[in-house]
Amino acid sequence: MSKKKLIVQKFGGSSVANVEKIQNVASRVANYRKEGHDLVVVVSALGDTTDELIELANKINTEASEREMDMLLSTGEQISVALLAMAIHKLGFEAISFTGAQVGIITDSSHTRARIVKINGERIKEELKKGRIVIVAGFQGINLNHDITTLGRGGSDLTAVALAKELKADECEIYTDVDGIYTTDPRIEPKARKILEITYDEMLEMASLGAQVMQARSIEVAKKFDVPIHVRSSLSKNTGTMIIREVKRMEDLLVTGITINKNEAKITVCEVPDRPGVAAKIFKELADAGVNVDMIVQNVSHLRSTDISFTVTKASFNKAMKQTEKIAKEISAGEVMQDEDVARVSVVGVGMKSHPGVAASMFDILAKEKINIEMISTSDISISCIIKKKFAEIAVRALHEKFGLGK
Ligand code: ADP
Ligand code: ASP
Ligand code: MG
């Protein structure tokens, strides 16, 4: 028998989408138990349950309170943990399911995007000592008022990483429907290649820029506490991708991955008076309204006014439009235009730090595909372009090929 380990395993919605898949997860978990390991299993809601619950809420009230949204969305994960425990019992193993609150995942009160403040791991440790497999509902916690909170979309990844840190687990495995992190979303580019090892920094950048496979905040926490993550498939035994602090490559890759994000919309305020304090007013008021602004572009103004464009997430789009129209009136700006038909395409790679010219190559590749760039932003290790949504996938495939990432 191999050395006894404590393993945190997280199974995403796609891995528990139906009865058969739940049974598959149960036998997978049971096999690890047979080898003598201690297991803490984090599960997401079945399939698209969370999306369906959001749709349901929207039918009742499009401006539902965030507290009630959390109350609703957290039920998805509660269903999965109970069903998985039952499936494991059926195989003759001891297992016990818990909500986030029951295992002491304490968060702040920012409903729908709460931050974990601390975890009281005692109950989990007690149950592990009794020889039970502990199953924890992902994506949720409780604040100091005992209100249920959720950790932002994809938040079960964060639950798993935070528990791995708290329990000093030997391994943290994220099981999903792909067998690792790829050079780009394999659903968009079948020629995408699996990356065997990727750094926290690159994964964080890819996740923040739209690679849905890992939640960005979970990578932040993993990086902070040095929790290595193994991303792998719930349907195969293949080794997946290790997300770690440092990857030993002779030379850093110029481009590690390409991401796509269709979850943003563009707002343009026309004829903004060109005087100090105006941008400050627009973006402060948006921030106060809880709108997260992403890319910002201001045109050079020859005259006395300028156009300011920025992007926001689709989720905060209505709120952002309302707020921006109000501010535009107050500062005597012109029309406020909206464009929901955009996508962000980004290239990510640590090698960019020391090699100029990646931006120029990216723009050239897009130009050759006759794709117009509407906005540009850069970081140390990424370059992003906002383009029309209908060209996004063509752009991803072209960039993937021209930067030499394909098979
Ligand atoms: P889960 O239900 O397990 O949480 P997600 O749907 O959140 O799974 O994430 C897995 C999906 O992420 C994959 O099916 C894939 O289409 C998508 N994805 C996007 N970018 C990448 C990438 N670079 N590598 C792997 N998968 C990616
Ligand atoms: N069920 C939640 C979501 O869909 C959390 C997760 O899947 O990680 O966002
Ligand atoms: Mg996910």
Side-chain angles (χ1 to χ4, degrees):
M1 196 180 84
S2 54
K3 180 183 158 280
K4 176 178 166 173
K5 292 186 219 162
L6 169 57
I7 310 177
V8 173
Q9 301 185 322
K10 176 253 168 179
F11 292 89
S14 47
S15 304
V16 290
N18 55 38
V19 170
E20 224 185 338
K21 289 185 173 171
I22 294 171
Q23 286 165 337
N24 165 57
V25 169
S27 51
R28 198 164 182 127
V29 171
N31 282 336
Y32 276 89
R33 185 73 197 127
K34 268 188 222 154
E35 290 176 18
H37 302 304
D38 280 340
L39 292 162
V40 175
V41 182
V42 175
V43 227
S44 294
L46 273 55
D48 297 325
T49 302
T50 309
D51 291 327
E52 287 158 15
L53 289 172
I54 292 173
E55 253 172 58
L56 183 61
N58 281 336
K59 283 188 191 149
I60 305 264
N61 183 346
T62 50
E63 288 173 30
S65 96
E66 291 182 331
R67 182 191 180 279
E68 302 309 328
M69 279 312 277
D70 280 354
M71 184 64 95
L72 178 70
L73 298 192
S74 62
T75 62
E77 271 69 12
Q78 202 172 328
I79 293 172
S80 329
V81 286
L83 292 176
L84 181 59
M86 293 172 194
I88 294 175
H89 293 164
K90 184 98 184 181
L91 298 175
F93 290 81
E94 282 201 56
I96 182 164
S97 69
F98 292 110
T99 62
Q102 282 178 300
V103 291
I105 299 181
I106 313 295
T107 72
D108 65 14
S109 297
S110 12
H111 284 288
T112 74
R113 53 186 173 282
R115 293 189 166 259
I116 298 177
V117 181
K118 66 170 186 202
I119 298 179
N120 302 322
E122 288 316 308
R123 183 72 196 269
I124 296 183
K125 288 178 197 158
E126 272 170 36
E127 299 295 337
L128 287 174
K129 254 190 222 141
K130 290 182 196 158
R132 294 179 172 153
I133 297 166
V134 176
I135 306 172
V136 179
F139 175 57
Q140 56 178 261
I142 192 168
N143 69 11
L144 291 173
N145 285 332
H146 300 281
D147 286 326
I148 294 175
T149 54
T150 63
L151 309 177
R153 295 305 306 269
S156 301
D157 296 335
L158 178 58
T159 305
V161 172
L163 283 175
K165 186 257 162 192
E166 183 60 34
L167 301 167
K168 302 191 177 66
D170 298 291
E171 286 176 25
C172 178
E173 298 183 317
I174 304 288
Y175 286 92
T176 181
D177 60 353
V178 272
D179 65 352
I181 308 295
Y182 278 69
T183 45
T184 193
D185 188 340
R187 285 194 224 186
I188 292 172
E189 174 51 282
K191 289 187 204 136
R193 264 184 313 110
K194 185 160 90 183
I195 303 170
L196 294 177
E197 292 184 322
I198 188 167
T199 61
Y200 294 126
D201 288 330
E202 286 170 306
M203 190 64 235
L204 180 56
E205 197 79 1
M206 282 182 68
S208 313
L209 293 172
Q212 167 200 338
V213 57
M214 285 297 298
Q215 190 215 29
R217 279 174 50 207
S218 71
I219 305 296
E220 268 169 19
V221 173
K223 180 182 172 188
K224 191 156 160 197
F225 298 105
D226 239 321
V227 180
I229 300 173
H230 185 182
V231 180
R232 56 193 306 194
S233 163
S234 55
L235 296 171
S236 82
K237 294 229 156 81
N238 295 350
T239 315
T241 300
M242 287 306 301
I243 309 175
I244 46 182
R245 180 155 304 272
E246 203 182 352
V247 175
K248 296 242 169 353
R249 302 183 192 119
M250 185 66 86
E251 293 251 29
D252 285 332
L253 296 176
L254 222 47
V255 175
T256 312
I258 317 276
T259 63
I260 179 169
N261 186 353
K262 294 186 181 168
N263 195 27
E264 281 177 275
K266 185 172 99 173
I267 297 177
T268 302
V269 193
C270 303
E271 295 158 62
V272 178
D274 192 15
R275 57 168 195 265
V278 167
K281 179 177 165 68
I282 297 175
F283 295 109
K284 175 163 189 311
E285 291 192 16
L286 283 170
D288 289 347
V291 174
N292 228 337
V293 170
D294 200 12
M295 265 191 210
I296 303 175
V297 170
Q298 179 176 220
N299 293 343
V300 183
S301 61
H302 304 286
L303 306 167
R304 301 279 296 280
S305 75
T306 122
D307 292 350
I308 295 182
S309 295
F310 53 90
T311 60
V312 296
T313 59
K314 289 257 162 77
S316 56
F317 181 67
N318 288 337
K319 189 154 76 169
M321 270 306 284
K322 244 195 205 162
Q323 198 66 21
T324 309
E325 277 167 346
K326 180 180 140 281
I327 305 167
K329 273 207 191 95
E330 288 167 11
I331 59 175
S332 314
E335 199 186 344
V336 177
M337 299 197 305
Q338 62 183 72
D339 188 354
E340 289 187 85
D341 200 23
V342 293
R344 174 202 283 250
V345 173
S346 316
V347 300
V348 176
V350 275
M352 269 178 223
K353 278 188 190 169
S354 51
H355 287 77
V358 177
S361 309
M362 178 177 189
F363 304 154
D364 190 46
I365 293 164
L366 295 179
K368 290 213 168 94
E369 297 292 328
K370 303 204 167 20
I371 297 172
N372 190 41
I373 301 170
E374 299 188 12
M375 295 168 97
I376 299 167
S377 83
T378 64
S379 81
D380 246 16
I381 61 167
S382 73
I383 302 156
S384 298
C385 295
I386 293 282
I387 60 176
K388 281 276 166 276
K389 200 190 274 169
K390 63 177 179 208
F391 297 126
E393 290 171 10
I394 300 172
V396 167
R397 287 191 283 265
L399 293 164
H400 194 266
E401 189 193 328
K402 299 283 162 41
F403 279 114
L405 297 178
K407 278 181 190 148

